[in-house]
Amino acid sequence: RIEMQLSDVTGRRVRLSGDSSLSFSPYLGVIYSNVTIGPSDDGSEPLVRIDEMRAQLGIFSVLWGEARLSKVNLVRPRLTLKREASGRPNWLPVSGRLRALLSRKDLSDADPFPLGQLTITEGIITLNNEPQPASLSSGARSTETTAVSELTAVNGTLIWPELAREA
């Protein structure tokens, strides 16, 4: 059920393929290992790989049969942002609630899907620009260039009470 909710929001297939456990103290929560979001549209590596996802569940949402995540901690997520040779980025959502929200100008009547708090611990962001023809000047030969940048030790917290409101 959590996989389906996350897939619905992101517009990408979410897989919880590792171990999972339930915690009861100090709050009701779940822990998943080996979480992936993606793969990219071209079928390559996932957009995001997460070693461990810890999530706090709202007790009342569980009692009503809807497991809503209120606080999520992503431990060692690896986000791979790629710009294809055509210039098209792999990170823009192609479907899902996030895509619908990003395409709207007026959020006043948008779905108030709660996001809560997202914490990233020891994250890595990789930006990969696919080879593109280098600019040509008179007499110069065309060469392929690839640019890969990596940002490590990404840590932070985003508090976003509702998807339809500003963070």
Side-chain angles (χ1 to χ4, degrees):
R1 181 144 175 104
I2 300 285
E3 276 182 342
M4 289 176 21
Q5 286 179 350
L6 293 173
S7 295
D8 182 47
V9 170
T10 64
R12 301 203 184 262
R13 184 170 182 188
V14 175
R15 290 188 189 115
L16 307 173
S17 54
D19 294 331
S20 64
S21 61
L22 192 60
S23 65
F24 295 97
S25 178
Y27 53 81
L28 180 60
V30 292
I31 301 170
Y32 296 101
S33 64
N34 194 19
V35 178
T36 57
I37 301 173
S40 300
D41 295 337
D42 61 5
S44 64
E45 66 184 292
L47 179 64
V48 183
R49 289 183 185 276
I50 305 163
D51 286 353
E52 186 175 88
M53 180 178 83
R54 301 174 189 166
Q56 184 173 337
L57 295 168
I59 188 74
F60 291 111
S61 68
V62 171
L63 292 174
W64 302 133
E66 292 185 26
R68 295 267 185 189
L69 307 178
S70 59
K71 291 184 179 181
V72 177
N73 182 9
L74 306 180
V75 180
R76 290 177 298 284
R78 292 173 304 287
L79 173 64
T80 302
L81 304 176
K82 183 168 64 172
R83 186 176 300 276
E84 300 170 359
S86 66
R88 185 173 168 265
N90 74 331
W91 59 85
L92 295 178
V94 293
S95 64
R97 288 179 165 176
L98 188 56
R99 167 76 174 153
L101 180 71
L102 292 174
S103 64
R104 297 179 72 134
K105 290 186 174 31
D106 179 17
L107 299 178
S108 62
D109 64 342
D111 180 5
F113 183 80
L115 289 181
Q117 179 176 308
L118 175 68
T119 301
I120 295 174
T121 306
E122 299 177 26
I124 297 173
I125 300 173
T126 302
L127 177 58
N128 181 1
N129 283 314
E130 295 270 318
Q132 299 178 18
S135 39
L136 298 175
S137 58
S138 61
R141 293 184 350 194
S142 174
T143 59
E144 298 287 318
T145 59
T146 301
V148 177
S149 302
E150 190 169 88
L151 180 62
T152 59
V154 177
N155 296 287
T157 299
L158 173 68
I159 299 173
W160 199 347
E162 292 180 8
L163 191 58
R165 290 182 19 197
E166 293 181 10

